[in-house]
């Protein structure tokens, strides 16, 4: 999966259009038909593809040499200097490589004689410290051959004459050689400064021999700087004295570089079974986070390897485009990467409303650029573009034409700008993922009813159902419409299926799922009549407790149509039409009347909501019912309790108020006070719910004028209850 930074070897492997230049270089070398020594350079920065061009040129020279006569043939000797660790070894191996290539790599006697002469010359250099240029490097050079029969002492005594003699002998056989020799030395810029100097001294002096052409590949700036440091001179001028023919690797066609990158990314995407792909977002991230930094094949490989590793670790929980962008910044622009990591809460989130003025945008953009010039001084605008492409909220602050994305859209897309996903792009650890995207997708898209119910039970056991509902909110737009009924059935009810005949729907609970979530899910159904059918079926076939739970949903629908009360809900989208709402009201009335035959309305969990909705829908039957049950004194207290409004102050104090005086339609203040004062002395009163007891105390305090307004706080209420309890206990003791 990972790509090594390996150059190509053949012209057929060229994807960057460099082969034509390589062929031109090869032809130029073939055309230099001189016996003189000269050096050609192939110059370019690291990662620009020098070695690949060199390999293609060598391949072309070999092919051309097969098509010409002996006098035009070129013998190629390739030497890799960076394989050796010290200067003495490098020199030794240079001559050994040259000699062996000619002696053993060629069948021609003439060429073999040259190889032997080179071997003798190199052997004579054992004690060559008297050679002014390179002596101090070569004085420790070991013998290449000990079979010549003379003692080291004898050779030392004649060393100057021997070196001179051997060099002249070598020059003679080289001039007589029909073919030419091309010595190719690559990666000179990888050597130490001293070794770089030695290579060029070898080329110009010790190995500056006739009929040998040197093709040297290096980064001009690095080599010139190294030569300047060790030679204490102008490195570029030094190079100009040695290199007769310089060639610069032509600049890459960036479009071809990008095409190669796209091929690799497509492979990565296919490797991970495809993914959703936002083309507009990709264009922004590529142009801002990737393109500015990818200019060579080496850049591609570094980026691809980093992305492959990072994406493989978290692929199911992140957006591919964003992980590609942040991976590129991690590799090539670490200051930007680190700044993003350290500024999470100023970057995450989405558009939540509000206007943006053009003047503010321009001002913020200038401030940001000034800040970024300190973080990334080489290109603050590049940093701004990169951050804006990844974080919509940041983009909205500095660009009037930026795209506005809501927090829900950002989370659904698993973007780095999602607060819950941000850290994952940096830690590359799934340990903090409560519910995986794979689980979410499987439950929303594929699970059958029994599988989904088992999964929901598992979430309850793991105490993750609330987190799952949050994920549903973020992923509403991804739920297929044909699965809405199933998902609602399982999420809302412990058993039963909506729209499946007269199936009993059991177990809806406000503590488990909000009616607002139900409403949001229902809005995924485009056809209003289908939404109505589901709501009608739920109201018609639920058990008693579930029916009460769904009254809140019906209440919201009433408010959106401006019925019951005029509120901001009227501006919202309607779940059902007004005609269908009338039908839902009929179902509500029918079922409510049925339930109150066996259960006192005032004992319902949703007594307050059911009471005013019944009164609104059909006031006469409601009034008849209330007149009937309010004959009972305990029902009066319960009725007062549902009419009281509970409040909480900013300092946490609670209490009750009685703004809704509609209870006076059925019973007077005087009678309510008498009932409370009579009941509080009986055990039945103290067996009632705490809210009923508290509202009774609040009502008495209000009647006594204990506060200037209608708000009775809990402190006064509790004092009154304590007073009543003592009076009740005293009376019981007397009895």
């Amino acid at each position: 999966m990972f790509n090594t930074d390996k150059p190509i070897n053949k012209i057929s492997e060229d994807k960057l259009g460099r082969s034509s230049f390589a062929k031109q270089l090869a032809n130029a070398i073939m055309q230099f038909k001189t016996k003189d020594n000269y050096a050609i350079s192939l110059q370019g920065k690291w990662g620009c593809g020098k070695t690949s061009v060199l390999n293609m040129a060598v391949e072309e020279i070999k092919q051309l040499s097969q098509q010409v006569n002996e006098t035009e043939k070129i013998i190629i000797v390739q030497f890799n200097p960076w394989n050796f660790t010290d200067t003495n070894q490098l020199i030794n191996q240079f001559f050994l490589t040259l000699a062996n290539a000619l002696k053993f790599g060629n069948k021609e006697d003439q060429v073999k004689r040259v190889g032997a002469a080179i071997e003798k010359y190199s052997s004579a250099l054992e004690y060559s410290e008297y050679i002014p240029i390179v002596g101090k490097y070569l004085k420790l050079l070991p013998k290449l051959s000990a079979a010549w029969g003379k003692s080291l002492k004898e050779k030392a005594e004649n060393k100057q004459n021997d070196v001179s003699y051997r060099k002249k002998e070598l020059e003679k056989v080289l001039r007589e050689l029909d073919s030419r020799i091309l010595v190719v030395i690559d990666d000179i810029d990888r050597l130490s400064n001293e070794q770089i100097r030695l290579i060029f001294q070898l080329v110009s002096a010790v190995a500056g021999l006739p009929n040998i052409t040197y093709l040297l590949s290096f980064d001009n700036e690095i080599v010139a700087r190294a030569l300047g440091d060790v030679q204490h001179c102008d490195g570029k001028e030094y190079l100009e004295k040695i290199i007769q023919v310089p060639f610069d690797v032509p600049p890459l066609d960036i479009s071809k570089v990008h095409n190669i990158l796209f091929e690799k990314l497509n492979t990565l995407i296919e490797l991970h079974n495809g993914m959703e792909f936002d083309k507009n977002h990709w264009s922004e991230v590529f142009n801002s986070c990737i393109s500015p930094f990818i200019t060579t094949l080496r850049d591609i490989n570094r980026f691809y390897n980093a992305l492959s590793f990072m994406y493989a670790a978290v692929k199911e929980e992140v957006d591919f485009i964003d992980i590609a962008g942040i991976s590129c910044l991690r590799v090539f622009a670490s200051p930007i990467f680190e700044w993003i990591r350290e500024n999470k809460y100023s970057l995450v989130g989405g558009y939540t409303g509000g206007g943006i003025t053009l003047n503010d945008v321009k001002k913020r953009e200038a401030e940001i650029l000034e800040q970024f010039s300190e973080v990334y001084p080489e290109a603050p605008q590049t940093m701004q573009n990169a951050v804006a492409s990844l974080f919509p909220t940041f983009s909205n602050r500095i660009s009037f034409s930026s795209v506005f994305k809501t927090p829900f859209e950002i989370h659904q897309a698993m973007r780095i700008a999602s607060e819950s996903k941000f850290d994952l792009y940096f830690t590359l650890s799934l340990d903090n993922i409560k519910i995986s995207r794979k689980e979410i997708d499987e439950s929303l898209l594929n699970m059958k009813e029994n599988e989904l119910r088992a999964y929901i039970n598992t979430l309850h056991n793991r105490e993750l159902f609330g987190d799952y509902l949050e994920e549903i909110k973020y992923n509403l737009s991804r739920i297929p419409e044909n699965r809405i009924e199933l998902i609602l059935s399982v999420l809302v009810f412990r058993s039963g299926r909506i729209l499946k005949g007269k199936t009993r729907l059991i177990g809806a609970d406000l503590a488990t799922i909000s009616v607002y979530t139900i409403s949001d899910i229902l809005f995924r159904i485009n056809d209003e009549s289908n939404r109505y059918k589901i709501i009608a079926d739920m109201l018609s076939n639920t058990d008693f407790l579930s029916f009460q739970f769904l009254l809140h949903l019906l209440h919201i629908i009433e408010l959106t149509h401006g019925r019951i009360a005029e509120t901001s809900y009227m501006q919202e989208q309607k779940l059902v039409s007004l005609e269908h709402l009338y039908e839902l009201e009929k179902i509500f009335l029918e079922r409510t009347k049925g339930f109150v035959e066996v259960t006192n309305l005032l004992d319902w969990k949703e007594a307050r909501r059911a009471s005013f909705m019944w009164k609104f829908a059909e006031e006469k039957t409601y009034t008849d019912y209330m007149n009937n049950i309010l004959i009972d004194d305990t029902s009066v207290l319960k009725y007062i309790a549902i009419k009281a409004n509970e409040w909480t102050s900013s300092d946490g104090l609670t209490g009750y108020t009685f703004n809704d005086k509609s209870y006076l339609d059925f019973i007077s203040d005087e009678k309510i006070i008498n009932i409370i004062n009579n009941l509080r002395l009986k055990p039945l009163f103290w067996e009632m719910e705490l809210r009923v007891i508290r509202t009774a105390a609040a009502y008495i305090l209000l009647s006594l004028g204990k506060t200037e307004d209608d708000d009775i706080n809990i402190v006064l209420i509790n004092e009154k209850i304590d007073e009543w309890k003592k009076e009740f206990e005293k009376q019981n003791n007397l009895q």
Side-chain angles (χ1 to χ4, degrees), residues 633 671 673-682 685:
D633 288 349
K671 187 172 182 180
I673 293 170
N674 289 335
I675 290 173
I676 293 173
N677 284 328
N678 288 330
L679 276 180
R680 67 181 178 80
L681 297 174
K682 298 178 181 180
F685 177 82

Side-chain angles (χ1 to χ4, degrees), residues 475-491:
N475 289 279
L476 280 172
S477 63
R478 300 178 61 243
I479 303 176
E481 187 171 329
N482 62 2
R483 286 182 60 83
I484 295 296
E485 175 272 325
L486 168 62
I487 289 172
L488 274 177
S489 296
V490 175
L491 291 183

